[in-house]
Amino acid sequence: MTDFKDAPLISTKDDTNSNMSLEPEMQDYLAKFLDISNNAKDSDKKDKHMSLSEGLKTFPKAAMWSIILSSAIIMEGYDTALLNAFYAFPDFVKKFGTYYPEKDKYEIPAKWQTALSMAVNIGEIIGLFLAGIISDRIGYRKTLIGSLVMVVGLIFVVFFAPNIATLLVGELLLGLPWGAFQTLTVSYASEVCPTVLRLYLTTYVNACWVIGQLIASSILKGFVNSDMEHAYRIPFALQWVWPVPIAIGIYLAPESPWWLVKVGKLKEAKHSIMRLLSENEHLPNKELMANAMVDKIHMTIREEEAEQAGISYFDAFKKTNWRRTRVTCVTWLVQNVTGSAFMGYSTYFYKQAGLSTSMSFTFSVIQYALGLIGTVMSWFLSQKLGRFDIFFGGLCIQTVILLVVGGLGFANSTGVSWAIGTLLLVFTFIYDLSIGPITYCLVTEIPSAKMRTKTIVLSRNLYNISGICIAIVMPYMLNPTAWNWKAKTGLFWAGISLVCIVWCWFELPETKGRTFAELDVLFEQGVKARKFKTTEAEVFDVGHMMEKLGENGIRQVVEDQKAEGHHIESA
């Protein structure tokens, strides 16, 4: 391969030596490649130093479309909260539960609670893998719209379920489209916005989860004392409200420019970016910025391709990606195994802890309201602190709360029940101020651009697999007909949280203020996690990129631009 480091890039008329290192045609390619590289570098620099107000003025449409797509997660948060809260809902328990004469009441057996929760997680695991494959071929928008159509049909199964076995099948099938929502909404949010808005739009996904859970708890609270026959069906039926308006919004939204560039559609990518931008005093000509952004995306993806071939799931475990895959997966795992299961089973837990049915639902409503407040406050907290600081600090505080809750589980009084309930409200607030929302930002920033969707699929599936394990043990921990641990369960999750604290310190990097190109450089150089914050990263270094791409790679970059009629010459 030609050594480009010492080769002159452009020949001049005054050069009397005809023995040039490169042919004239190749020098022309190099001149254009240099233009593209400088364009990309300038775009990355502007992205990195863009202020929040400038980002909001320049990318308001990107924020709007991201919010519309992320709203699909409200449906999943609603359904999952609904299912777990139903275990304390009298009408549902009487319909699908078993009567226990010794307790003189109906109860959903622990094995069926486990099976129902596992069914959702298994469906999501399958749906995530399918979404990763399908979206790579047809794009995010079409995949999400197809998933919403599935939801409309599958709600009929849970609405008309005559027995708990049919309900289980319905939840399993609903898990398929939920899986698509889990990965594509966060990927889209991270890819249509600049670095300064990335945290807000990715963590908004967590807000959507909480909004769905809050709506579910509020509706169940309203129907908990209803005399209406099959009152539990109304909350199921309300799920038909969302799919159509969300699908219309997604249909009108622009496709992710990163996906369009990955499939070689640079012209469409530029058009998509033009739809995301708004001209203002910071951006008098959005076409110039659109060209620069396409160059940046194209160069980032081409540079990654020079390091690795293909985008199969197996590539995530190769040496070039393994660290990024591992950190992304464990980050999402930490979110699920450090006590958040208490929130999912909160209504049932409050009831088992000694509170009345009505008060249990009231606590759940307060819990999710605090969660929403915490998520919004995390946006302000993130302006002062880094991703790692918030994640690590929140995890430490959660661990202390879990230890106290577990200790209180050895006492037995009304006052203790209220204390445990109050501490879990504090736990929810801290979780949604820290680990809950920040995870959604981290899992989009850590993977490479080329492997982002598939890495998110793998990490979310590890989350779901852990969810299956939680679905197996949690009902037994809380159910009075099984282990009956009640609040002592907090000690179990506190122990796991301590292990996660150690892992975070050594493995979780600081990604605040870093562009995707800078993160590529830091991971490629093997920078230690605690050094990410202070290490300088030189992006789009021409000499380095030439070595990696080679002649064929340089030609391909330039030819791609020519084919799409996109590239503009440097001034």
Side-chain angles (χ1 to χ4, degrees):
M1 185 183 78
T2 305
D3 184 3
F4 296 113
K5 274 188 169 180
D6 301 319
L9 293 180
I10 305 173
S11 61
T12 63
K13 291 180 181 180
D14 296 331
D15 192 347
T16 57
N17 187 354
S18 60
N19 296 322
M20 303 302 299
S21 300
L22 298 174
E23 297 176 358
E25 180 187 14
M26 192 60 209
Q27 290 219 23
D28 185 54
Y29 275 111
L30 287 171
K32 289 182 170 61
F33 180 81
L34 184 60
D35 287 341
I36 297 169
S37 177
N38 288 336
N39 219 19
K41 192 168 186 175
D42 183 57
S43 175
D44 199 70
K45 184 178 179 181
K46 288 179 180 177
D47 184 8
K48 180 178 176 64
H49 296 289
M50 185 178 291
S51 67
L52 179 59
S53 62
E54 184 181 348
L56 289 171
K57 287 181 180 179
T58 306
F59 288 88
K61 296 174 185 175
M64 178 190 71
W65 292 122
S66 175
I67 288 170
I68 290 173
L69 265 70
S70 296
S71 60
I73 290 291
I74 294 175
M75 300 176 62
E76 184 188 4
Y78 178 93
D79 184 82
T80 52
L82 201 65
L83 182 62
N84 290 331
F86 268 148
Y87 302 148
F89 193 76
D91 186 61
F92 180 88
V93 173
K94 189 172 182 179
K95 169 68 177 178
F96 296 106
T98 301
Y99 181 71
Y100 290 87
E102 67 277 12
K103 295 182 177 293
D104 190 28
K105 66 177 183 178
Y106 285 88
E107 191 82 43
I108 302 292
K111 65 178 182 180
W112 277 109
Q113 290 185 28
T114 297
L116 285 167
S117 298
M118 284 180 63
V120 175
N121 285 307
I122 291 171
E124 288 175 345
I125 289 171
I126 298 170
L128 275 160
F129 276 123
L130 291 175
I133 296 169
I134 295 170
S135 63
D136 275 345
R137 296 182 180 179
I138 67 174
Y140 297 176
R141 292 167 58 252
K142 292 180 180 178
T143 306
L144 285 171
I145 291 171
S147 299
L148 287 166
V149 172
M150 286 181 65
V151 169
V152 173
L154 293 173
I155 291 172
F156 282 97
V157 180
V158 295
F159 181 83
F160 290 108
N163 52 56
I164 198 167
T166 306
L167 183 66
L168 184 146
V169 172
E171 291 293 336
L172 173 66
L173 294 174
L174 276 169
L176 299 176
W178 297 152
F181 299 154
Q182 288 178 348
T183 179
L184 299 183
T185 52
V186 290
S187 294
Y188 186 88
S190 69
E191 293 180 355
V192 299
C193 63
T195 300
V196 69
L197 296 182
R198 197 160 62 211
L199 179 132
Y200 304 99
L201 295 181
T202 52
T203 57
Y204 175 72
V205 173
N206 187 75
C208 289
W209 261 92
V210 178
I211 290 169
Q213 293 167 331
L214 178 59
I215 293 172
S217 295
S218 299
I219 290 172
L220 288 176
K221 167 65 177 173
F223 282 97
V224 69
N225 295 318
S226 173
D227 295 329
M228 187 185 305
E229 185 179 5
H230 300 319
Y232 71 89
R233 283 183 172 174
I234 296 176
F236 276 137
L238 289 174
Q239 293 179 93
W240 275 310
V241 173
W242 293 306
V244 173
I246 293 173
I248 293 172
I250 293 173
Y251 176 78
L252 297 174
E255 183 57 84
S256 164
W258 286 83
W259 177 79
L260 290 168
V261 172
K262 279 191 284 187
V263 296
K265 298 181 178 180
L266 273 65
K267 188 174 182 179
E268 289 89 337
K270 176 184 173 181
H271 178 69
S272 178
I273 292 172
M274 292 282 284
R275 291 186 61 194
L276 297 171
L277 295 171
S278 295
E279 292 183 348
N280 56 79
E281 68 271 21
H282 305 290
L283 183 68
N285 187 339
K286 65 181 182 181
E287 185 171 2
L288 291 175
M289 186 171 188
N291 282 326
M293 288 179 68
V294 171
D295 282 343
K296 180 182 73 171
I297 296 169
H298 191 205
M299 293 293 280
T300 301
I301 291 172
R302 282 295 185 189
E303 191 172 6
E304 289 177 2
E305 287 176 344
E307 290 289 325
Q308 58 198 19
I311 51 171
S312 71
Y313 283 107
F314 293 106
D315 290 301
F317 300 99
K318 291 181 179 178
K319 184 179 179 180
T320 51
N321 284 312
W322 169 234
R323 182 187 178 191
R324 304 178 82 160
T325 302
R326 183 179 70 247
V327 175
T328 306
C329 288
V330 178
T331 298
W332 224 331
L333 178 67
V334 170
Q335 188 198 50
N336 205 24
V337 299
T338 53
S340 62
F342 270 129
M343 296 184 296
Y345 288 87
S346 61
T347 308
Y348 186 71
F349 174 80
Y350 291 138
K351 190 175 179 181
Q352 300 308 323
L355 298 178
S356 67
T357 300
S358 179
M359 187 55 66
S360 295
F361 279 98
T362 299
F363 261 70
S364 293
V365 172
I366 296 171
Q367 168 187 298
Y368 293 125
L370 284 172
L372 186 57
I373 294 170
T375 301
V376 174
M377 287 186 64
S378 73
W379 299 341
F380 296 96
L381 188 64
S382 65
Q383 295 178 22
K384 301 293 183 182
L385 301 175
R387 320 284 202 246
F388 171 83
D389 299 327
I390 298 173
F391 192 95
F392 185 78
L395 182 57
C396 292
I397 296 172
Q398 285 181 201
T399 304
V400 173
I401 295 173
L402 289 170
L403 287 169
V404 176
V405 168
L408 289 173
F410 290 94
N412 186 21
S413 69
T414 302
V416 168
S417 297
W418 281 94
I420 291 170
T422 303
L423 281 171
L424 286 182
L425 294 181
V426 176
F427 178 92
T428 300
F429 177 75
I430 297 298
Y431 171 88
D432 285 302
L433 181 67
S434 56
I435 288 180
I438 295 299
T439 295
Y440 289 97
C441 183
L442 287 168
V443 298
T444 63
E445 292 179 326
I446 295 170
S448 66
K450 191 178 178 185
M451 293 297 299
R452 183 172 296 117
T453 299
K454 283 185 166 55
T455 306
I456 291 174
V457 167
L458 290 169
S459 59
R460 185 66 187 191
N461 269 339
L462 182 60
Y463 173 99
N464 287 328
I465 290 170
S466 70
I468 292 175
C469 298
I470 291 169
I472 292 173
V473 300
M474 199 67 176
Y476 285 91
M477 290 176 177
L478 300 180
N479 199 301
T481 66
W483 301 344
N484 198 27
W485 287 6
K486 297 182 180 179
K488 299 185 192 74
T489 306
L491 296 176
F492 176 83
W493 298 118
I496 296 177
S497 295
L498 288 170
V499 176
C500 293
I501 286 172
V502 176
W503 174 85
C504 285
W505 181 260
F506 290 102
E507 280 263 78
L508 186 65
E510 178 56 75
T511 58
K512 181 183 180 181
R514 295 293 191 181
T515 64
F516 288 138
E518 286 182 318
L519 290 169
D520 283 348
V521 171
L522 292 171
F523 277 109
E524 183 183 338
Q525 293 178 351
V527 176
K528 292 182 178 180
R530 298 281 59 79
K531 298 288 186 181
F532 263 56
K533 188 175 182 178
T534 56
T535 303
E536 292 293 328
E538 180 66 29
V539 298
F540 302 116
D541 180 82
V542 176
H544 183 59
M545 291 179 69
M546 285 179 176
E547 285 188 66
K548 288 204 294 186
L549 293 172
E551 282 192 25
N552 291 335
I554 292 171
R555 288 176 186 271
Q556 188 62 53
V557 169
V558 176
E559 290 297 336
D560 285 345
Q561 303 285 31
K562 286 181 178 179
E564 295 294 340
H566 151 73
H567 184 60
I568 57 169
E569 299 294 337
S570 322

